[in-house]
Amino acid sequence: MTTHSHRPSTDTHTHTHTHHNTPMDTDPDIARLLRLAESGDARGTLRALRGADDLPLPDVARIVGRLAHARDFGNLAEAADALASDAQDPRLLHDFGHACLDRGAAFLALRPLREALRHAPDSSAVRTELVAALEDEHRHAEAVELLEAREATLRPWPDRYLLAYNALMAGDPDRAGSHFARLPVPDEPWRPAHHRLRAMLRRTLALRAAATPHPLEPGPAPEVPAPLAATDLRGWHFALTGGILTTLSPYGYAVGMNGRYGLLQEDPGRVLHGLHRLRLVLARSRVRPRTVSLLPDRSSRILGLAAAGLLDLPAEPFDAARTDTVVIAHRLNGLDRDVLARLHRRTPGQVLFEHATCWTRPPAVSADISTLLGQLVVAPWDAQLHATADAGTNSRPDDRPEQAVADDLLRADPTPDPGDGDTPPDPDTELARFVTVARDTWLTGPRDHVPSPGPVSGSRFG
């Protein structure tokens, strides 16, 4: 499945079922959802269904079927129509769950797949599909519980691998390591997944082995989280993605953000602070690039020109084969697929820097260095929303030449925002200490996509 790059898809069965009209509904809520689905409004329909856990499963299937027909989602339409007629058949339940998962609606797959497993508790295909849905919903502890309940009958691949992977994503490296140690080395196509999980566990071991007390700056903020604690965002980001997170959000830490941003409209000083942190990581890790590589989009070029000025390096257009270079991206999610594909396989001596990494929709490749994790980040040179007495207004984007914008960026004040006082201290010395611990396992292997934010919780909007 495309959303689960660490393993192949599960086989499915195809059913041909003719869509038919249903009698007029007497339940006004169901009738409203059917009309919404028939309009083709996928976002609105799925939002409504996410909050309708008590809706009977046949009605869910009917609503999803109407939406699937409106959007011409053939496999989902067929599976929904079939389940609406018979919600007790485990094969139909499995096929509907698989089709929902395949279309990116994992939350809709959970109920039918749980019901299918209740009817067929020994079905490894249904169990694997349910684990996939739980993974997509980032409910990793539930996936571990589901798999460990049948531990005596688990196959090494994929079952025990999925158990180890989800244990790590749930924040339990000891359990993950124990299950991983029992895995035989696989043949293709599972070998990349084996290498990926082994690299994750190596990074967790490196962080835990180097866990020593260190002095903190004075102040009322809470102490820095212990390595790989439930709130150690920088540690878990490195363990899972192999990337170094250089800054933590100074707002909302105590109310569930744990160092991440939601909506952030940036100012030049914050962006420049991120480039200063990039310079610190390169120096502390003893990585000495000879050039800065510019990606093709405007935001990345502006940021790359500023980085070249700060690092006193020449700027060159991105070439995937270039060594000893730092590639600068503002947001990887905005790049073309062919560029991302060239960034996935690491070139020796090449460092990939991303300023604003989306944590709710992680990019297809994981950056080696990220300034921040945010849900929606607006660059200073893009149009920004400003509150007024009557209503919000958008400023005009800065359309000056890229070099002029970059030059102004370098003249900004990089002093970090002090925030609300509830975030743990994050001085340069703390980041430098982390880089020293991480550098031996950094910049190794491909830059794999990691679809889950991991065990550190975060509050999202929308």
Side-chain angles (χ1 to χ4, degrees), residues 142-293:
E142 292 178 51
V144 171
E145 182 180 1
L146 176 70
L147 290 164
E148 285 192 335
R150 306 285 295 191
E151 185 173 356
T153 62
L154 293 183
R155 300 163 295 175
W157 297 93
D159 300 342
R160 192 167 295 281
Y161 159 75
L162 293 175
L163 177 52
Y165 172 83
N166 280 283
L168 185 62
M169 287 293 175
D172 192 341
D174 290 329
R175 180 176 291 182
S178 175
H179 288 297
F180 181 82
R182 298 172 61 184
L183 282 174
V185 176
D187 297 325
E188 294 290 350
W190 289 102
R191 193 163 293 167
H194 184 261
H195 291 168
R196 189 177 309 133
L197 184 53
R198 181 175 60 190
M200 289 177 175
L201 289 168
R202 283 185 61 216
R203 290 190 291 266
T204 65
L205 288 173
L207 295 181
R208 298 173 86 190
T212 55
H214 54 280
L216 303 176
E217 289 189 344
E223 291 186 350
V224 172
L228 300 182
T231 56
D232 180 16
L233 185 62
R234 178 174 287 143
W236 277 112
H237 180 77
F238 177 72
L240 300 182
T241 71
I244 295 175
L245 177 64
T246 65
T247 71
L248 302 174
S249 168
Y251 293 97
Y253 187 90
V255 293
M257 294 308 294
N258 290 316
R260 297 185 180 98
Y261 291 91
L263 169 64
L264 175 63
Q265 297 191 119
E266 288 205 282
D267 59 76
R270 190 190 307 271
V271 178
L272 183 57
H273 177 57
L275 293 179
H276 278 272
R277 284 286 173 100
L278 162 66
R279 184 171 62 180
L280 184 157
V281 172
L282 294 175
R284 191 71 174 189
S285 60
R286 306 190 190 101
V287 173
R288 295 178 176 84
R290 294 180 297 174
T291 62
V292 167
S293 292

Side-chain angles (χ1 to χ4, degrees), residues 29-111:
D29 290 334
I30 294 177
R32 177 181 58 83
L33 287 173
L34 287 168
R35 289 193 299 271
L36 182 64
E38 286 173 345
S39 74
D41 182 356
R43 185 183 297 272
T45 303
L46 294 179
R47 185 184 300 115
L49 287 175
R50 187 176 278 278
D53 292 339
D54 57 346
L55 202 63
L57 197 50
D59 290 325
V60 172
R62 290 171 54 212
I63 295 163
V64 172
R66 297 285 180 90
L67 176 63
H69 281 286
R71 299 296 296 269
D72 197 24
F73 295 158
N75 66 326
L76 180 57
E78 291 178 2
D81 289 347
L83 188 65
S85 298
D86 182 0
Q88 301 299 314
D89 186 325
R91 178 174 287 190
L92 299 182
L93 288 160
H94 168 270
D95 288 354
F96 177 69
H98 177 86
C100 288
L101 187 57
D102 195 44
R103 293 291 177 177
F107 77 96
L108 285 176
L110 293 175
R111 285 176 63 194

